[in-house]
Every structure is written in C-alpha cells, then in structure tokens.
Amino acid sequence: MNRYVSSLELLSRARAGETAAIGRLISRAEANVAEARGALSTIYQKAGRAHVIGLTGVPGSGKSTLVAALTARLRADGEKVGIVAVDPSSPYTGGAILGDRIRMSELARDPGVYIRSMSTRGATGGLARATLDAVDILDVSGFKSIIIETVGVGQSEVEIAKAAHTIIVVSAPGLGDEIQAIKAGMLEIADIHVVSKCDRSDANRTLVDIKQMMTLAASASEPPEWQIPVLGVSSHSSEGLDNLANNIKQHRGIAFMTETGRRRQLSIANFRLGKTAENILIERFAKASAAFIPSIAARLQRRESDPYSLATELLAASLT
Amino acid sequence: MNRYVSSLELLSRARAGETAAIGRLISRAEANVAEARGALSTIYQKAGRAHVIGLTGVPGSGKSTLVAALTARLRADGEKVGIVAVDPSSPYTGGAILGDRIRMSELARDPGVYIRSMSTRGATGGLARATLDAVDILDVSGFKSIIIETVGVGQSEVEIAKAAHTIIVVSAPGLGDEIQAIKAGMLEIADIHVVSKCDRSDANRTLVDIKQMMTLAASASEPPEWQIPVLGVSSHSSEGLDNLANNIKQHRGIAFMTETGRRRQLSIANFRLGKTAENILIERFAKASAAFIPSIAARLQRRESDPYSLATELLAASLT
C-alpha cells in the first residue's frame, strides 16, 4: 500500500533534487489538485529567481532542435535548465504527443536538465495556469534557466510564451506562404529573433525579411536599453549559439534590473492574476450551470431563442 | 452625413442579396455591437438550413487552395457558397492577415461566393461566437454551403471547426515530423479525411498512414451509417474533387436526417451556449474587476501571496 505523499513533502524532496518529486508536483498542479494548493502557494512565494525564457515559432521552424542546442549550451555554464514544452495534442485522447518520447533523448539523461510536456487539452486558461505553476516548481527546485517552448500558432499558445522574461521568436528559411503569414503575427512579441537553419543558402533572405518587417513595425514603446537582435543560428553546426546565449544573458539583466523588466513582470502578474480568476470563475460556473444546460441547450437547438438570450438565461439561473 | 443603418435593415438588405450589408452585419457581430443583438436573434432563429462544413489542417497542408477548388466545384451546382476563414493574426496589430488579400482572387469576383476572414485576436470564446454568428448571417442570406476554414493548431481554432455539420481534416504529404505530430491530434474529429497534393509521389504513404492511425483510433462511438473516408485530392489537377463533393453531400444527409446528425447539432448547441455564457461572464467580470486589479496584481508581483489566493480575493471583491 502506497502512502499518499503530501505535496509539501514532495516540495521538500523536489528542493533536495529528487526529480520524481518534481514530476509528481507538476502533475498535481496540472490536474489542479486541491491538496497541492498550499504547497503551490509556498512555491510561488519562494519563486522568482529563475530566468524564464519563452521560445516560440511556427511548426517547422526548428524550435525543438534549437531548444536542445540552446539547453546544451546553457548547461556548459553549469546551471540547471528546465524545459516546459506546451504541445498541441488531441482534444480527445489527451496527453502530450510530442513530449519526452521524441525529443532530446541525450539531454533527458542529464540530471541537470528537466523536460516536461504539458498537454494543450483541458480548460482554456488552465493551460497557462498549469504551465506557469510548472515553471515555479522548477524555479524553487534550483533550475536557473527555464525555457517555455510553445508552438507559435493559436491564441492561448502565443499568450503563454509572452509570460516570460525573455521572448525568443524562431523563424526559418524556406517555409511556405501560409506559415510566413502566421509568423508575422508573432514578430512583435520578440525580445530576440532567431533565424534557425542559418547554414542554408536561403537563410539570409529570411534575416533580411525580418529586419525589414521590424523596421515597419518599430514602435515608440520599445525600451531604450534594448535593441532587438536578429540572430542566425544553426543548431546542427552550433553556429550562432554562443551569440544567442550571450544575448539571452544580456536580456536577463534587463528583465531583473531595469524599469522595463519590472514593467514586464507586472504585466505577467496581471496576466496570471486574470487567467487564474477567469479559470476559477468558469469552473464555478460549470458546476453551477450543469443542471440547467440540457434543457436550455435543447431549446437553443430547436432555435426557440438565440444564443445570447439563452446564455443570459443560463447565467441568471446558475448564479442565483 | 451618413445615417446609421439599423442592423435589422442591414438584415433585410442582406437577405435581398446585398453583399455589402452582409459584411457590415458580420462586422457588427464581430465587434459585439449591442444594437445588432436583436437582428442576430432573428437571424439565429431563421438560420439552420445551410450545410456548415468545417475544414481544418496544419499549416502547409494546402487548406486554402483546397477551399478554393472545393468552392469552385460546389459553385458548379449553382448554389451559393460562403467561406469564413479563421486566421491567425497578430495579438497586437490585430486584423486578419491572410484574408481577402491573398486568397482566391477569382472566386472573390463571383457574386455567388462570399469570403470573410475573422481575426483570432480578441477575447477567447469571442472568436467562436463571432464565427458562428457570421455563419448564421450567411445562412439566412441564402448561402447553402458554408465553409469554416481554420488552421488546425491551437485549441480554440480546432474547437471552432468542430462546430460544423461535416468536419474535413486536410493532410498533405511531405510535411515535417513536428507537423505530423500535430496532425495526430486532429485525426479523431474528421468526418472526411483529405490528403491534398495527391499528385505527389509520396502522397500514397500519407494515405496509408492515416488509414493506419484510424484503425488504431477506431472507437465504438462511430456512427453505423458513416464510414469515414480517406480521399486523395489534387487541387491543381482537380483529381478527387468530384469524389470529395459527393462525400460531402452524403454526409450532409447524415447531418440533417439522422439521429447521429441530431446529436451533433445538440452538441454544437451545447458548445455555443457554453461559449456564449462564458463570454458574457468574463466580460462582466472584466468590467467589475478593473478597479481592483492594479493593487492586487502589484501584490502578486511582490509575491506577497499566490495567484490562486489573490484571484479568489479579486473575484470576491469584484462580484459583491
């Protein structure tokens, strides 16, 4: 018979370096287990020292390979690196599908690296909450750099990358028109641009394109202490990796020591507060409304009234 | 001086075939204009005759080209076709970026085709609401087939494709591993599988792969009256298009005339009711909480307490 290990005990084990305890804590956070709430509260209040790096890019941009190369590079400095990968997954079968299975088998053997995939399944808002909880758990467990990797398509997914101190947007040469167009939507959130696969002959065009788009999009709100760099990197030949690592370190200084960084941290707190509150609100509503939904949905299906009126009716019935 | 045209007047103009009125109504629905609510209520109650086709696939799968080819094919039968494209767009600059600019310039000149891009910017839940309102507006304006095109990455985006009578998932040969993995998450929602670019030599492998995945995923809940087809289509040579159109017509029969179809419609009503209610709820909360957020977010940033506790506090302060 297994004793249920309390989340507070898992927390002390995690802080003592026990990898399995980190995984179990993250699972409890993901499942929103009530018992874990006290531990997560302690964790949040102790966290805040790790450098959180958001890394996003369209599918095919070579994100995962870059994360692996960057992690190896950061490890060379001796610091522990955590990776939280937000993967698209089936809305039905659930579970992250890329995950530990495909990615980075060598890194996974390094005890100074922790890799975790989060499923995009489940309630909206819940994903951001669980991802940021996982970051905090890694933070208090001594990981000094934590990379949040998200696919750069989908509103909720891009949003999560924004909840980082330093946002890296990865582009790659030779992707199709559709993907290029999606990319345009992410250009403005970058603190650092990376063009991956820079050993390819067409990479230079992508570098030039991004610089051009940045000129067009240049805004007055840009912080004076940071010129957004556009860096070519080849994960295979390691070209540009040192440069990327140096830029990340420099931006870490901005994140932790300047007014610009403080504003970013406040806006992350704002985002997290709002998401968490929405989450709780929608959960409460889901419970309160369950009994009323079948009959009201049936009336909607019969088109006896419209979605707005019936939703208002549902809210009134549920919230009294 | 322009007189403000009421939404009810726009509605009668739209039903009389005035394209500009359709566009203005959709814009009001998208902006959630209160004045349009009465018209949208009438619209919803009159709608329900069009066949709504959800078409989704990963970036690079040739979705837009297929939509164009399919639309031309459906137009050959003389029926009006509406297209609502849900495009990834910048969270900052807003606006749909693919949109009418790139896509389907010939079709856009056909008065029997209406093309509209919706921005993925804005409140979560709002996108689904606005998209389905747009579908209803096209429905009551005499469009007999309405295609909702969404990129098959991102939770909210896939969700919208599911609010259709007939769901088409587009795959393509020769995409990278990462994209293949994302695709796996969409396989289970398909009523019809399409492998685009089937004139390519490697298309057959993709066809075989999908059939194999389907065997693994085959569930007992599959309706007895429908065997999910896997169709090769080439948008360029038109190979397979007739076959696709026939399959769509057959599935339309299921959507409108069987118990399976009725269950789908009820689950769409459920989805729509829930999304609309969540939307209203979050909007009310956003208004009510605005005054309390700055001080509570600042406390969160200073880590005086944790997100869950402070969000609960924010909710209590806002909802009293």
Side-chain angles (χ1 to χ4, degrees):
Chain A
M1 287 212 304
N2 278 322
R3 185 175 64 89
Y4 186 85
V5 181
S6 77
S7 295
L8 280 170
E9 187 178 333
L10 288 178
L11 172 56
S12 41
R13 290 191 197 172
R15 304 192 77 182
E18 194 186 300
T19 303
I22 295 175
R24 290 174 73 184
L25 265 181
I26 293 179
S27 296
R28 290 187 188 173
E30 203 174 13
N32 209 1
V33 171
E35 186 273 337
R37 224 155 261 158
L40 285 170
S41 177
T42 306
I43 288 165
Y44 180 80
Q45 289 175 77
K46 287 185 189 300
R49 279 185 296 181
H51 182 208
V52 183
I53 301 163
L55 194 146
T56 190
V58 295
S61 59
K63 274 188 312 296
S64 299
T65 319
L66 180 67
V67 168
L70 178 61
T71 302
R73 176 63 191 69
L74 294 172
R75 282 294 292 149
D77 294 343
E79 288 188 347
K80 285 164 78 180
V81 179
I83 300 166
V84 183
V86 179
D87 286 338
S89 77
S90 166
Y92 287 98
T93 53
I97 45 170
L98 292 176
D100 314 40
R101 192 159 48 86
I102 299 178
R103 75 177 69 234
M104 298 178 281
S105 42
E106 305 137 58
L107 282 179
R109 281 193 290 271
D110 175 351
V113 175
Y114 187 88
I115 304 170
R116 173 74 178 215
S117 293
M118 311 296 283
S119 164
T120 61
R121 193 175 66 118
T124 315
L127 180 61
R129 185 194 49 69
T131 302
L132 298 177
D133 281 348
V135 167
D136 288 341
I137 292 166
L138 290 169
D139 184 331
V140 298
S141 302
F143 290 81
K144 291 284 175 269
S145 295
I146 299 165
I147 302 174
I148 303 176
E149 178 195 342
T150 79
V151 63
V153 189
Q155 203 180 353
S156 346
E157 288 77 3
V158 172
E159 221 173 40
I160 293 170
K162 283 167 60 189
H165 301 126
T166 301
I167 302 167
I168 302 174
V169 174
V170 188
S171 308
L175 302 174
D177 276 352
E178 189 182 8
I179 287 185
Q180 296 301 340
I182 291 173
K183 199 187 61 190
M186 296 186 304
L187 285 178
E188 291 149 318
I189 68 170
D191 298 307
I192 297 173
H193 278 288
V194 167
V195 173
S196 65
K197 307 175 188 175
C198 76
D199 41 351
R200 282 176 50 149
S201 59
D202 49 353
N204 201 48
R205 217 196 103 190
T206 309
L207 280 164
V208 171
D209 280 354
I210 291 174
K211 284 180 186 161
Q212 212 153 32
M213 286 195 199
M214 284 172 65
T215 318
L216 292 171
S219 79
S221 67
E222 216 171 287
E225 58 277 71
W226 187 250
Q227 283 248 321
I228 298 165
V230 184
L231 312 173
V233 173
S234 162
S235 304
H236 295 293
S237 74
S238 296
E239 188 190 332
L241 264 183
D242 283 343
N243 197 8
L244 173 59
N246 286 336
N247 271 279
I248 291 173
K249 257 180 225 163
Q250 278 173 42
H251 195 266
R252 176 187 204 154
I254 289 186
F256 284 92
M257 320 235 262
T258 67
E259 178 56 24
T260 303
R262 207 199 54 79
R263 272 202 305 273
R264 168 83 58 96
Q265 298 213 17
L266 185 58
S267 93
I268 294 171
N270 250 300
F271 168 74
R272 196 159 177 183
L273 178 68
K275 275 284 156 194
T276 309
E278 281 179 14
N279 231 20
I280 297 171
L281 191 60
I282 285 175
E283 219 165 69
R284 282 184 195 167
F285 170 66
K287 270 186 203 153
S289 64
F292 304 100
I293 285 177
S295 67
I296 298 185
R299 284 166 58 203
L300 185 64
Q301 191 206 352
R302 292 195 299 268
R303 295 184 190 269
E304 287 173 18
S305 180
D306 63 280
Y308 189 86
S309 306
L310 288 173
T312 309
E313 193 179 319
L314 176 64
L315 282 165
S318 311
L319 303 178
T320 47
Chain B
M1 287 211 303
N2 277 322
R3 184 176 65 90
Y4 186 84
V5 181
S6 77
S7 296
L8 280 170
E9 187 177 333
L10 288 179
L11 172 56
S12 40
R13 289 191 197 173
R15 304 192 76 183
E18 194 187 299
T19 303
I22 295 174
R24 290 174 70 185
L25 266 180
I26 294 180
S27 296
R28 289 187 189 174
E30 203 174 14
N32 210 359
V33 171
E35 186 273 336
R37 226 156 257 162
L40 285 171
S41 178
T42 306
I43 287 165
Y44 180 80
Q45 288 175 78
K46 286 186 191 299
R49 278 187 297 181
H51 183 208
V52 183
I53 301 162
L55 195 146
T56 189
V58 294
S61 59
K63 273 187 314 296
S64 299
T65 319
L66 180 67
V67 167
L70 179 62
T71 301
R73 176 64 190 70
L74 295 172
R75 281 296 291 148
D77 295 343
E79 289 187 345
K80 286 164 77 180
V81 179
I83 300 165
V84 183
V86 179
D87 286 338
S89 76
S90 166
Y92 287 97
T93 53
I97 42 171
L98 293 174
D100 313 40
R101 191 159 48 87
I102 299 179
R103 74 179 69 234
M104 298 179 282
S105 44
E106 307 137 56
L107 283 178
R109 281 192 293 270
D110 175 351
V113 174
Y114 187 89
I115 305 169
R116 173 72 178 218
S117 293
M118 312 295 283
S119 164
T120 60
R121 190 176 68 117
T124 315
L127 181 61
R129 186 192 51 67
T131 302
L132 297 177
D133 282 348
V135 167
D136 288 341
I137 292 165
L138 290 168
D139 185 330
V140 300
S141 302
F143 290 81
K144 291 284 177 269
S145 296
I146 300 164
I147 302 172
I148 304 176
E149 179 194 343
T150 78
V151 65
V153 190
Q155 205 180 351
S156 347
E157 288 76 4
V158 172
E159 220 172 41
I160 293 170
K162 283 169 59 189
H165 301 127
T166 301
I167 303 167
I168 302 174
V169 173
V170 188
S171 308
L175 302 173
D177 277 351
E178 189 182 9
I179 285 185
Q180 296 302 341
I182 292 171
K183 201 186 61 188
M186 295 185 306
L187 285 178
E188 291 147 317
I189 69 170
D191 297 307
I192 297 172
H193 279 288
V194 167
V195 173
S196 65
K197 308 176 188 173
C198 76
D199 42 351
R200 281 176 51 151
S201 59
D202 49 353
N204 200 49
R205 215 196 103 189
T206 308
L207 280 164
V208 170
D209 279 355
I210 291 175
K211 284 178 186 163
Q212 212 151 34
M213 286 193 198
M214 285 172 64
T215 318
L216 292 171
S219 78
S221 67
E222 216 170 285
E225 58 276 70
W226 188 249
Q227 284 248 320
I228 299 164
V230 183
L231 312 172
V233 172
S234 163
S235 304
H236 295 294
S237 73
S238 295
E239 188 191 331
L241 263 184
D242 284 343
N243 196 10
L244 173 59
N246 287 336
N247 271 280
I248 290 173
K249 260 180 222 161
Q250 278 174 40
H251 195 267
R252 176 188 205 156
I254 290 184
F256 284 93
M257 320 236 263
T258 67
E259 178 56 24
T260 303
R262 205 198 55 78
R263 273 203 304 274
R264 168 83 57 96
Q265 298 212 16
L266 184 58
S267 92
I268 295 171
N270 249 300
F271 168 74
R272 196 157 176 184
L273 179 67
K275 274 284 155 194
T276 311
E278 280 179 14
N279 230 21
I280 297 170
L281 191 61
I282 285 174
E283 218 164 69
R284 283 185 195 165
F285 170 65
K287 269 186 207 154
S289 63
F292 304 100
I293 284 177
S295 67
I296 298 186
R299 284 167 56 205
L300 185 64
Q301 192 207 351
R302 291 193 300 268
R303 298 185 188 265
E304 288 174 16
S305 180
D306 63 281
Y308 190 87
S309 306
L310 288 173
T312 307
E313 191 179 321
L314 176 66
L315 282 165
S318 310
L319 302 177
T320 47

